[in-house]
Amino acid sequence: MNNNVDLSVNIAGLKLKNPVIAASGTFGFGREYAEYMDLNKLGGISVKGLTLKPRQGNKPPRIAETPAGILNSVGLQNPGVEAFIKEEIPFLRQYNLGIIANIAGNTIEDYCEMAEILGDADIDAIELNVSCPNVKAGGIAFGTSCAGISEITKRVKAYCKKPLIVKLTPNVTDIKETAKAAEDSGADAVSLINTILGMAIDIHRRKPILANNMGGLSGPAVKPVAVRMVYEVSKTVKIPVIGMGGITTGEDAIEFLLAGAAAVMVGTANFVNPAACLDVIHGMEAYLRQYHIGCVSEIVGKLELNQ
Amino acid sequence: MNNNVDLSVNIAGLKLKNPVIAASGTFGFGREYAEYMDLNKLGGISVKGLTLKPRQGNKPPRIAETPAGILNSVGLQNPGVEAFIKEEIPFLRQYNLGIIANIAGNTIEDYCEMAEILGDADIDAIELNVSCPNVKAGGIAFGTSCAGISEITKRVKAYCKKPLIVKLTPNVTDIKETAKAAEDSGADAVSLINTILGMAIDIHRRKPILANNMGGLSGPAVKPVAVRMVYEVSKTVKIPVIGMGGITTGEDAIEFLLAGAAAVMVGTANFVNPAACLDVIHGMEAYLRQYHIGCVSEIVGKLELNQ
Amino acid sequence: MAQVLKEKIAALDKLAPGVFKMTLKSEIIAQTALPGQFVNVKCSEGLNALLRRPISICNVDRDSNTFDIVFQIKGIGTEYLSQKKVGSEVDIIGPLGNPFRVEGEFKKIAVVGGGIGIFPLLNLLKASSAEHKDAFLGFRNKELIVLEEEFTQASDQLFISTDDGSAGHKGLITDLFINEIDKKKYDIVYTCGPTPMIKKVVEIAHKNNIRCQVSLEQRMGCGIGACLVCACKTRLGDEWEYSHVCKDGPVFWSNEVIFD
Amino acid sequence: MAQVLKEKIAALDKLAPGVFKMTLKSEIIAQTALPGQFVNVKCSEGLNALLRRPISICNVDRDSNTFDIVFQIKGIGTEYLSQKKVGSEVDIIGPLGNPFRVEGEFKKIAVVGGGIGIFPLLNLLKASSAEHKDAFLGFRNKELIVLEEEFTQASDQLFISTDDGSAGHKGLITDLFINEIDKKKYDIVYTCGPTPMIKKVVEIAHKNNIRCQVSLEQRMGCGIGACLVCACKTRLGDEWEYSHVCKDGPVFWSNEVIFD
Ligand SMILES: Cc1cc2nc3c(=O)[nH]c(=O)nc-3n(C[C@H](O)[C@H](O)[C@H](O)COP(=O)(O)OP(=O)(O)OC[C@H]3O[C@@H](n4cnc5c(N)ncnc54)[C@H](O)[C@@H]3O)c2cc1C
Ligand SMILES: Cc1cc2nc3c(=O)[nH]c(=O)nc-3n(C[C@H](O)[C@H](O)[C@H](O)COP(=O)(O)OP(=O)(O)OC[C@H]3O[C@@H](n4cnc5c(N)ncnc54)[C@H](O)[C@@H]3O)c2cc1C
Ligand SMILES: Cc1cc2nc3c(=O)[nH]c(=O)nc-3n(C[C@H](O)[C@H](O)[C@H](O)COP(=O)(O)O)c2cc1C
Ligand SMILES: Cc1cc2nc3c(=O)[nH]c(=O)nc-3n(C[C@H](O)[C@H](O)[C@H](O)COP(=O)(O)O)c2cc1C
Ligand code: FES
Ligand code: FES
């Protein structure tokens, strides 16, 4: 058996030793998971969505379980971009992994200011969260129209010294169009999918379970939708695609790579299994070994359609 | 305990003894399920999607299992509207249940012709399937834009002697808009959700599992998305809403009623449990008894939002 | 008539790596199932392996009111099924499908099976009252040979091949079948297994003017003929149509089916 | 430090309708868990009850290296958990959370619990070396009274109330607590249960200048402080912030928490 599977990837300049990234909002700033795994093993981490100022987020309950999935409405609770730079980057930099700053704002100016502030910070990429369904202003409002995506991507790009990843929402009629808008406006990569807007009802209280009423669906349930969208987008844009949505195992991740993702993110699965990211890496490696594939990038987009 | 729960509903003139309808495409023309249940117990049936001429549908495999859901790409295999009238209506009319003709076409003319042909047939309502993701022409093409929905609804309505239900696709940015378009164009009711476009990959063959490559996601996985959309639509339109997507139990159905559905359809659950529709009816009834609600319509739309 | 049944597991044994035999107590299946029919099994509770899995009835014991299924682990469904505990109940629907035709008119019969396709053939051999019964079974290797004893007893002559030659003939089972055809003058051949094997058997049968029944596989939804997902191409005059494996099949006459 | 553990079920008993006690073999939990901590339990395999469920450690036995959880069936997760078989393994993460403060400075203590909130309090009573320990437990009715024996042994005096008066005091458990307060001059009261009860205990404690720790509940995602879903309002100077039950709690000082 060949032990030298090359898992390294280069996503628009973001170099990772393997294509598995902890998804934003599900992994905090990595601290908590350091108890359960060697963070050095991770390809990267996309940190909890940052805003210009600290945010407290939405009222609890912020989570509801649904069949094979969860709804969340955290609403971007975070310490703000300054605290992130001061307290979290130094912690994360002890480890050998890519650091992606996931940013969200109420206004385009917020996003630009954050990109500027992060310009001198020791991060490896910025992920533009224009797809959070859990905040009133900003977030998803930018992400559902091509015009919204275009404007915000162009303006943030001007301040951005690192690879700019635009995170797309699945809550659109045609994700190929929003992906194209991101590409045309200067995005270095796109990541998808963010959560699908959903609702769960407590039939005894006759109220939504989430205090915020609606939330974003993630977890295994969304995987087929995510794979489809990753396929559509990767056939549409030339920039790299980072795929996510329901990934729990190496096999799941391989589906996304075949569909065209250059790297993947693992979210909800971390809650069930704190070592999920490592399991995904190992499963991926086992698959590549089984088929004597020396380099993970060889299978990216290698899906063949049925005629 | 009060045994007289009134489950009857009237959806824009479609009178049903209870609000549970077998969803189109999952129940054939009822024949097969007659072995497993007394069809007289059902509120109604929406028959397999009909086309003007018989259709063979897509190549197999036409189904793939996904986490808590399935993808299908049947592609409207059906004997055509004439055979339906001649062979299936007489069979179904032996039973006391509402008959909904689900129709799909390649062109608006097809839809109109079917509506005309069905005008003299002994059915109780027509469900306009403008949301099938599994056929190339027609289907979903009409369903994703307000203009498409408007035109087809208006034109079919002119031929339609029975209540016209427009079935909406969830593959849109804002389902409130397409629902409004249907209402404004003469729909007597809307039903939702049809399936969500998805894909599943056989990583060993490196091909999609479905011969048709993509298919429609249904089953428990989609429930939170469906509940959210039913809520949004029922707050937007005044015409009745028929809710579906992942309903497996009476509790699930109650979620949809609270969210605003006047009736529900049960699809994928029938495959797992041929008596699923009856279980849903019984579960619903038990809930109403528990809360001493005499009439099912009393709880429709009774969801209270959290502040 | 098929029913939804909750039946108790009387025994569960591993026959070979990844291959299990499960014996279920079930008066209805034991007394009414015909060879070639299958049960549709809920392999795990709730959302895990959501859909039922079709598994052939491999053997029925009318005296003890039990029947056997034999299955190979392919994915999560069969994996969960293999982990069930003896004494617990399994939710099945059955007996389902269109059975093999085993009436008396056929005096000399052959069954040709490969892989998981051999299982319905055992029940067929036992149910047939033909004067001469030959069984041709192909396996991947010696380790995966199962039910040899049972097939030996149920047939007059048993032929075995393995892909790697670790037991029996090395190569295709159809090689052995073709060898016997002239000698035996079978009235009918029944076949089930991988599509390439079935095609080959059908080709041989047609060339030799032997009637032939095939049992097909397809991914299923409802298993009872309502959802139309389990399509297979069959002849309709000069045209073709999609029939359905769960209801029109799994057993078809070989000249009905179009392989492409 | 918390770990992901697969631990064997040593015993599973029904204590009352819908209430079960599960004893798990676990050296790590038995030796390291502190009162008030919890384990996060994968109640079923795979997709069923996808998220882990937080359940308090009710009792630890350092000699036999086991610990107990007691849980009430609320929905699918606890339902699946109650169906596990003795001898099988459960996937848990623990010990988790910020424990009760049980140091020696507190000489007279009281615990006030309601419903499922009583379970962590047993472990607390056992771990505390206070000179006098009173336990106040509220139940819905007589049928649902559990662990009476254990609480009797672990405390100096046990007070019980039921909503319907079918056992003990009829009414709120806080009625009994208020009665004892003047006599006992508790140094601290620990409370866990329904929010209205907790609020009332806190109010009484503050009025009487008794220190008070509360254990809170909230729906959880990760259980380890990363996903930020399990928010609860706490004081931050004159302002407030959202702390997190799984990591900052479940135990808080009563004056830290803002109930609204
Ligand atoms: C009529 C009939 C009789 C069968 N009899 C037997 C038998 O006796 N013994 C046995 O071992 N196997 C038999 N099979 C095949 C068996 O149904 C599949 O191996 C099984 O469904 C795989 O499920 P899984 O969850 O383990 O695999 P997965 O690949 O995880 O299954 C995912 C989905 O694909 C479907 N699927 C996958 N492979 C097949 C297949 N070959 N045929 C049909 N559906 C498939 C499953 O039903 C499920 O819906 C039979 C199939 C049919 C159609
Ligand atoms: C720190 C802590 C300690 C606990 N200790 C115990 C205990 O010792 N014994 C006991 O019986 N129960 C305890 N609970 C409550 C227990 O976690 C819930 O009753 C259980 O999660 C319900 O799961 P379910 O699947 O049965 O119900 P469902 O309603 O089907 O659960 C659906 C979802 O809601 C969550 N949820 C529902 N109710 C609660 C709740 N009250 N608190 C937190 N999450 C909830 C579940 O975790 C799950 O994610 C504790 C809760 C917390 C937060
Ligand atoms: C609790 C929670 C919080 C999240 N917070 C963020 C966030 O702050 N920024 C963001 O871009 N995505 C956020 N997401 C979305 C995830 O990054 C990811 O896109 C989504 O969960 C789908 O992946 P999964 O199915 O693997 O979880 C969050 C998801 C969850 C479950
Ligand atoms: C196998 C299958 C075939 C379907 N065929 C049709 C159809 O012909 N016409 C239609 O309007 N919807 C069709 N649907 C969609 C269902 O009617 C329903 O909208 C969807 O499955 C969601 O409900 P569920 O989650 O309860 O299955 C089909 C669904 C399935 C699973
Ligand atoms: S599986 Fe539904 S028709 Fe065959
Ligand atoms: S449950 Fe994730 S932070 Fe508490």
Side-chain angles (χ1 to χ4, degrees):
Chain A
M1 211 193 263
N2 172 13
N3 281 308
N4 298 321
V5 178
D6 177 6
L7 289 179
S8 69
V9 292
N10 181 334
I11 300 146
L14 170 66
K15 288 183 190 145
L16 305 175
K17 65 181 163 309
N18 70 56
V20 179
I21 304 164
S24 176
T26 66
F27 216 76
F29 299 101
R31 285 180 191 277
E32 291 79 14
Y33 286 94
E35 265 191 51
Y36 299 89
M37 68 163 75
D38 178 359
L39 294 182
N40 289 302
K41 298 267 167 70
L42 275 185
I45 175 179
S46 176
V47 301
K48 175 64 203 168
L50 301 166
T51 49
L52 199 51
K53 300 280 160 239
R55 256 182 92 107
Q56 289 301 332
N58 294 325
K59 270 197 202 164
R62 294 175 174 184
I63 191 167
E65 188 178 278
T66 66
I70 62 171
L71 292 172
N72 91 79
S73 59
V74 172
L76 296 174
Q77 178 167 15
N78 81 94
V81 68
E82 302 280 10
F84 164 67
I85 294 174
K86 236 175 71 194
E87 279 147 42
E88 304 300 342
I89 296 182
F91 168 79
L92 280 169
R93 270 296 173 239
Q94 300 172 78
Y95 302 95
N96 167 26
L97 85 179
I99 303 174
I100 302 174
N102 180 283
I103 62 172
N106 294 330
T107 62
I108 295 196
E109 288 66 34
D110 286 356
Y111 282 95
C112 292
E113 203 176 327
M114 275 190 277
E116 198 172 10
I117 294 170
L118 287 164
D120 300 317
D122 186 12
I123 55 165
D124 300 304
I126 288 181
E127 185 175 42
L128 206 61
N129 178 1
V130 288
S131 45
C132 179
N134 296 323
V135 290
K136 286 212 181 67
I140 204 169
F142 297 111
T144 50
S145 79
C146 292
I149 296 240
S150 283
E151 191 183 352
I152 198 165
T153 306
K154 274 189 202 139
R155 293 200 28 206
V156 172
K157 177 72 183 173
Y159 291 92
C160 200
K161 298 183 186 162
K162 298 285 158 60
L164 179 64
I165 304 162
V166 175
K167 185 162 181 179
L168 302 174
T169 173
N171 299 293
V172 292
T173 307
D174 190 348
I175 200 163
K176 301 189 289 300
E177 289 178 7
T178 46
K180 194 85 185 65
E183 176 179 46
D184 291 345
S185 311
D188 299 298
V190 287
S191 60
L192 62 148
I193 58 173
N194 209 317
T195 55
I196 308 181
L197 196 60
M199 184 161 164
I201 295 174
D202 180 334
I203 61 170
H204 303 291
R205 291 171 54 246
R206 289 179 208 162
K207 289 186 174 186
I209 292 177
L210 298 175
N212 199 41
N213 299 314
M214 292 185 191
L217 182 66
S218 63
V222 308
K223 196 182 68 169
V225 178
V227 170
R228 183 262 295 183
M229 288 185 166
V230 164
Y231 175 77
E232 289 180 330
V233 167
S234 79
K235 286 287 161 194
T236 305
V237 299
K238 291 187 193 68
I239 53 177
V241 175
I242 301 174
M244 81 196 91
I247 295 174
T248 306
T249 64
E251 284 88 350
D252 293 339
I254 297 290
E255 278 196 66
F256 281 84
L257 298 182
L258 290 168
V264 296
M265 291 181 172
V266 176
T268 305
N270 297 307
F271 302 167
V272 183
N273 168 14
C277 288
L278 301 190
D279 288 0
V280 169
I281 296 168
H282 295 146
M284 220 177 216
E285 225 168 351
Y287 175 90
L288 296 172
R289 287 225 176 86
Q290 184 186 346
Y291 291 103
H292 309 290
I293 297 163
C295 176
V296 68
S297 48
E298 283 174 42
I299 63 157
V300 172
K302 285 296 150 52
L303 182 76
E304 218 184 289
L305 289 193
N306 296 301
Q307 293 309 318
Chain B
M1 213 193 264
N2 171 14
N3 281 308
N4 299 320
V5 178
D6 177 8
L7 289 178
S8 69
V9 292
N10 181 334
I11 301 145
L14 169 67
K15 287 183 190 143
L16 305 174
K17 67 179 161 309
N18 70 57
V20 179
I21 304 164
S24 176
T26 66
F27 216 76
F29 299 101
R31 285 181 191 277
E32 293 77 16
Y33 286 95
E35 266 191 50
Y36 299 89
M37 67 164 75
D38 179 359
L39 294 182
N40 290 303
K41 299 268 167 71
L42 277 184
I45 174 179
S46 176
V47 302
K48 175 66 204 168
L50 301 166
T51 49
L52 198 51
K53 301 278 162 240
R55 255 183 94 108
Q56 290 301 330
N58 294 324
K59 272 197 201 164
R62 293 176 173 182
I63 191 166
E65 188 177 278
T66 65
I70 62 171
L71 291 172
N72 91 81
S73 59
V74 172
L76 295 174
Q77 179 168 15
N78 81 95
V81 69
E82 302 280 7
F84 164 68
I85 293 173
K86 235 174 72 194
E87 279 148 41
E88 305 300 342
I89 295 181
F91 167 78
L92 280 170
R93 270 297 174 236
Q94 301 173 79
Y95 302 95
N96 168 26
L97 84 181
I99 303 175
I100 301 173
N102 180 282
I103 64 171
N106 294 331
T107 61
I108 294 193
E109 289 68 32
D110 286 358
Y111 282 95
C112 292
E113 205 176 327
M114 274 190 278
E116 198 170 12
I117 294 171
L118 287 164
D120 300 318
D122 186 11
I123 55 165
D124 301 304
I126 289 182
E127 185 175 44
L128 206 62
N129 177 0
V130 287
S131 45
C132 179
N134 295 322
V135 292
K136 286 208 181 68
I140 203 168
F142 298 112
T144 49
S145 78
C146 292
I149 296 239
S150 283
E151 191 181 353
I152 198 164
T153 306
K154 273 187 202 141
R155 293 196 36 202
V156 173
K157 178 71 182 173
Y159 292 92
C160 201
K161 298 183 186 160
K162 299 283 157 63
L164 179 64
I165 303 161
V166 175
K167 186 162 179 179
L168 302 174
T169 173
N171 300 291
V172 291
T173 307
D174 190 349
I175 200 162
K176 299 188 290 297
E177 290 179 5
T178 47
K180 196 82 185 67
E183 176 179 47
D184 291 345
S185 310
D188 299 299
V190 288
S191 61
L192 63 148
I193 60 172
N194 208 317
T195 55
I196 308 181
L197 197 60
M199 185 162 168
I201 294 174
D202 180 335
I203 62 171
H204 302 290
R205 292 170 54 249
R206 289 180 208 162
K207 289 184 173 187
I209 292 176
L210 298 175
N212 199 43
N213 300 314
M214 292 183 192
L217 182 67
S218 64
V222 309
K223 196 183 68 171
V225 179
V227 170
R228 182 263 294 184
M229 288 184 166
V230 164
Y231 175 77
E232 289 181 330
V233 168
S234 79
K235 286 287 162 195
T236 305
V237 299
K238 289 187 193 67
I239 53 176
V241 175
I242 301 175
M244 81 195 92
I247 296 174
T248 306
T249 63
E251 283 88 350
D252 293 338
I254 298 289
E255 277 196 66
F256 281 84
L257 297 182
L258 290 169
V264 296
M265 290 182 171
V266 176
T268 304
N270 297 306
F271 303 168
V272 182
N273 169 14
C277 288
L278 301 191
D279 288 359
V280 169
I281 296 169
H282 295 147
M284 220 177 219
E285 226 168 350
Y287 175 89
L288 296 173
R289 285 222 178 88
Q290 184 185 342
Y291 291 104
H292 309 292
I293 297 164
C295 177
V296 69
S297 48
E298 283 175 42
I299 64 158
V300 172
K302 286 294 151 56
L303 182 76
E304 217 184 291
L305 289 192
N306 296 303
Q307 295 310 317
Chain C
M1 214 177 81
Q3 290 185 37
V4 184
L5 303 164
K6 301 244 188 297
E7 307 294 31
K8 198 166 260 187
I9 303 177
L12 178 59
D13 299 300
K14 188 169 177 172
L15 301 186
V19 183
F20 293 80
K21 178 167 110 173
M22 182 182 278
T23 304
L24 289 154
K25 193 98 192 155
S26 175
E27 187 175 338
I28 290 170
I29 305 285
Q31 300 302 332
T32 68
L34 299 168
Q37 289 192 305
F38 65 93
V39 288
N40 213 1
V41 185
K42 183 71 177 114
C43 295
S44 183
E45 284 178 297
L47 304 175
N48 291 326
L50 184 71
L51 290 172
R52 292 167 181 274
R53 302 322 196 221
I55 308 281
S56 302
I57 296 164
C58 176
N59 191 31
V60 298
D61 186 331
R62 301 234 150 106
D63 298 332
S64 67
N65 276 328
T66 62
F67 74 100
D68 299 338
I69 54 176
V70 181
F71 58 91
Q72 183 163 26
I73 295 185
K74 283 285 171 74
I76 47 161
T78 45
E79 174 83 43
Y80 276 115
L81 195 62
S82 74
Q83 289 163 6
K84 293 253 180 199
K85 300 278 171 261
V86 172
S88 68
E89 286 184 346
V90 186
D91 174 353
I92 62 172
I93 302 181
L96 290 168
N98 180 33
F100 286 114
R101 173 98 170 262
V102 285
E103 278 85 279
E105 54 181 302
F106 307 118
K107 300 223 156 58
K108 283 184 154 187
I109 70 166
V111 303
V112 185
I116 57 170
I118 73 166
F119 306 127
L121 302 176
L122 179 62
N123 200 17
L124 185 163
L125 287 171
K126 290 191 168 187
S128 157
S129 53
E131 289 161 13
H132 186 89
K133 310 178 201 172
D134 281 354
F136 298 85
L137 307 180
F139 298 93
R140 257 192 303 152
N141 58 49
K142 187 176 175 173
E143 250 201 319
L144 292 175
I145 297 181
V146 292
L147 305 178
E148 191 173 354
E149 174 77 20
E150 288 82 346
F151 272 99
T152 305
Q153 279 180 21
S155 63
D156 292 290
Q157 210 173 342
L158 172 62
F159 301 85
I160 281 180
S161 73
T162 54
D163 295 352
D164 65 358
S166 49
H169 168 72
K170 174 174 175 155
L172 302 176
I173 190 63
T174 45
D175 302 343
L176 297 179
F177 176 55
I178 236 171
N179 284 344
E180 294 297 307
I181 255 191
D182 285 337
K183 294 182 249 174
K184 301 288 178 62
K185 304 232 181 304
Y186 300 115
D187 297 312
I188 189 167
V189 52
Y190 306 93
T191 184
C192 183
T195 309
M197 186 207 78
I198 292 187
K199 278 193 197 174
K200 187 87 194 159
V201 172
V202 169
E203 196 191 302
I204 297 168
H206 288 188
K207 212 176 275 169
N208 290 274
N209 279 311
I210 306 173
R211 299 199 70 181
C212 177
Q213 284 202 314
V214 300
S215 179
L216 302 181
E217 274 181 35
Q218 190 47 268
R219 287 179 185 247
M220 293 186 180
C222 65
I224 64 172
C227 74
L228 311 185
V229 308
C230 60
C232 64
K233 247 186 195 173
T234 54
R235 270 174 238 287
L236 183 71
D238 289 345
E239 300 283 316
W240 63 271
E241 64 174 346
Y242 276 131
S243 291
H244 296 95
V245 169
C246 69
K247 189 148 198 208
D248 309 311
V251 176
F252 294 90
W253 286 106
S254 57
N255 56 2
E256 289 176 308
V257 182
I258 301 171
F259 297 98
D260 58 7
Chain D
M1 212 177 81
Q3 291 185 38
V4 184
L5 302 164
K6 302 244 190 298
E7 307 295 29
K8 198 166 263 185
I9 303 176
L12 178 58
D13 299 300
K14 189 169 174 171
L15 300 186
V19 183
F20 293 80
K21 177 168 111 174
M22 183 182 276
T23 303
L24 289 153
K25 191 98 194 156
S26 176
E27 189 177 335
I28 290 170
I29 305 285
Q31 299 302 331
T32 67
L34 300 169
Q37 290 192 306
F38 65 95
V39 288
N40 212 1
V41 184
K42 183 73 178 113
C43 294
S44 183
E45 285 178 297
L47 304 175
N48 291 328
L50 185 72
L51 291 172
R52 292 168 182 274
R53 306 307 199 236
I55 308 280
S56 302
I57 296 164
C58 176
N59 190 31
V60 298
D61 185 332
R62 301 234 150 107
D63 299 330
S64 67
N65 275 328
T66 61
F67 74 100
D68 300 337
I69 55 177
V70 181
F71 58 91
Q72 183 163 27
I73 295 185
K74 283 286 170 74
I76 48 162
T78 44
E79 173 83 45
Y80 276 114
L81 195 62
S82 73
Q83 289 163 6
K84 294 254 179 196
K85 300 277 171 261
V86 171
S88 67
E89 284 184 344
V90 186
D91 174 352
I92 62 172
I93 301 180
L96 290 168
N98 179 33
F100 287 114
R101 173 99 169 261
V102 284
E103 277 84 280
E105 53 180 302
F106 307 116
K107 300 223 155 60
K108 283 182 156 190
I109 70 168
V111 303
V112 185
I116 58 172
I118 72 167
F119 306 127
L121 302 176
L122 179 62
N123 200 17
L124 184 162
L125 286 171
K126 289 190 168 189
S128 157
S129 52
E131 288 161 14
H132 186 89
K133 310 178 201 173
D134 281 353
F136 298 84
L137 308 180
F139 299 94
R140 257 190 305 150
N141 58 49
K142 187 175 176 173
E143 251 201 318
L144 291 174
I145 296 181
V146 293
L147 304 178
E148 191 173 352
E149 172 76 21
E150 287 82 345
F151 273 99
T152 306
Q153 279 180 21
S155 64
D156 292 290
Q157 207 172 347
L158 173 61
F159 301 84
I160 283 180
S161 72
T162 54
D163 295 353
D164 64 358
S166 50
H169 169 73
K170 175 174 176 156
L172 301 176
I173 190 63
T174 44
D175 301 342
L176 297 180
F177 175 55
I178 240 173
N179 284 343
E180 294 298 307
I181 255 189
D182 284 337
K183 293 183 248 172
K184 301 289 176 65
K185 307 230 180 303
Y186 301 115
D187 296 312
I188 188 167
V189 52
Y190 306 93
T191 184
C192 183
T195 309
M197 186 206 79
I198 292 187
K199 278 195 201 175
K200 186 87 193 160
V201 172
V202 169
E203 197 191 302
I204 298 169
H206 288 189
K207 212 176 278 169
N208 290 274
N209 279 313
I210 306 173
R211 298 198 70 181
C212 178
Q213 285 202 313
V214 301
S215 179
L216 302 181
E217 276 182 32
Q218 191 46 270
R219 288 179 183 247
M220 293 188 180
C222 66
I224 64 173
C227 73
L228 311 185
V229 308
C230 61
C232 65
K233 248 187 195 173
T234 54
R235 271 174 236 288
L236 182 72
D238 289 344
E239 300 283 315
W240 62 271
E241 64 175 346
Y242 277 130
S243 291
H244 297 96
V245 170
C246 70
K247 192 154 194 202
D248 308 311
V251 176
F252 294 89
W253 285 106
S254 57
N255 56 1
E256 290 177 305
V257 182
I258 301 172
F259 299 97
D260 57 8

